Amino acid sequence: MPLVSKDPLVVGRVIGDVLDPFESSISIRVSYNNRDVCNGCEFKPSQVVHQPRVAIGGDDLRNLYTLVAVNPDAPSPSDPSLREYLHWLVTDIPATTGPNFGNEVVAYESPRPTSGIHRIVFVLFRQLGKEKVYAPGWRQNFNTREFAELYNRGSPVAALYYNIQRENGSGGRRLY
């Protein structure tokens, strides 16, 4: 009998579609209008119009982090030809703070899915130090793994995702 993972990042196929397996080593808290994001929870587009509050754990302000937010299901989960769509990119975030204390490389863009249930994935990387990160020329077809390799970010230290669909959509993500 195959081993079944209970890790929500595996169950939700974030591990595989966006990230390789990693060991979480720092806390991250993401919230929209005082509602925390938990893995696999659902939000509507009207709830995520404004950039979320993000709190990064840790205890040493000298440690810097990069936050990436992507949609691996653009333009639709059945045909993710724009995978990954970059919604937000912030670097140089000191531990114990959030993106407001970092360098916003790509401004937050709220998700507006038109078809199917999409995952919005927040990924946190620890930086080796301050480094200039260049904004990609476009948001579509961003690749979190390639970004991490290009900027020597190593494995993620934390990740979190939620599901979103168009405002009048209903139902849950079907896993086949």
Side-chain angles (χ1 to χ4, degrees):
M1 189 156 129
L3 183 64
V4 178
S5 176
K6 294 190 185 328
D7 180 339
L9 296 174
V10 173
V11 174
R13 295 194 324 269
V14 170
I15 303 295
D17 287 351
V18 180
L19 303 171
D20 293 326
F22 72 96
E23 206 58 48
S24 185
S25 60
I26 195 162
S27 64
I28 182 173
R29 182 177 175 199
V30 179
S31 60
Y32 289 94
N33 301 316
N34 294 321
R35 181 180 166 209
D36 285 350
V37 171
C38 58
N39 284 316
C41 66
E42 189 157 323
F43 283 85
K44 297 287 187 185
S46 61
Q47 297 173 302
V48 299
V49 170
H50 302 291
Q51 153 184 326
R53 289 187 57 153
V54 178
I56 295 169
D59 54 12
D60 188 341
L61 286 164
R62 294 171 296 186
N63 291 336
L64 300 176
Y65 294 89
T66 295
L67 177 69
V68 176
V70 295
N71 176 351
D73 301 312
S76 75
S78 59
D79 179 26
S81 60
L82 301 180
R83 175 179 288 167
E84 303 158 22
Y85 190 89
L86 180 63
H87 283 279
W88 202 16
L89 176 59
V90 185
T91 63
D92 302 330
I93 306 168
T96 78
T97 70
N100 294 347
F101 294 90
N103 174 34
E104 189 174 62
V105 177
V106 176
Y108 177 78
E109 181 181 302
S110 62
R112 295 181 299 277
T114 56
S115 167
I117 299 169
H118 295 240
R119 296 162 293 170
I120 305 300
V121 182
F122 294 89
V123 185
L124 192 66
F125 294 97
R126 181 162 176 200
Q127 298 175 205
L128 298 176
K130 277 199 173 195
E131 178 184 3
K132 177 75 175 157
V133 170
Y134 296 94
W138 48 85
R139 291 175 183 259
Q140 64 271 22
N141 298 120
F142 182 82
N143 186 304
T144 302
R145 288 180 181 101
E146 288 177 6
F147 169 84
E149 187 175 330
L150 177 65
Y151 289 103
N152 200 25
R153 292 301 190 255
S155 292
V157 294
L160 194 57
Y161 83 99
Y162 67 86
N163 293 320
I164 188 168
Q165 60 184 315
R166 68 184 194 282
E167 203 66 38
N168 60 355
S170 63
R173 171 171 280 280
R174 286 192 283 274
L175 301 174
Y176 296 102

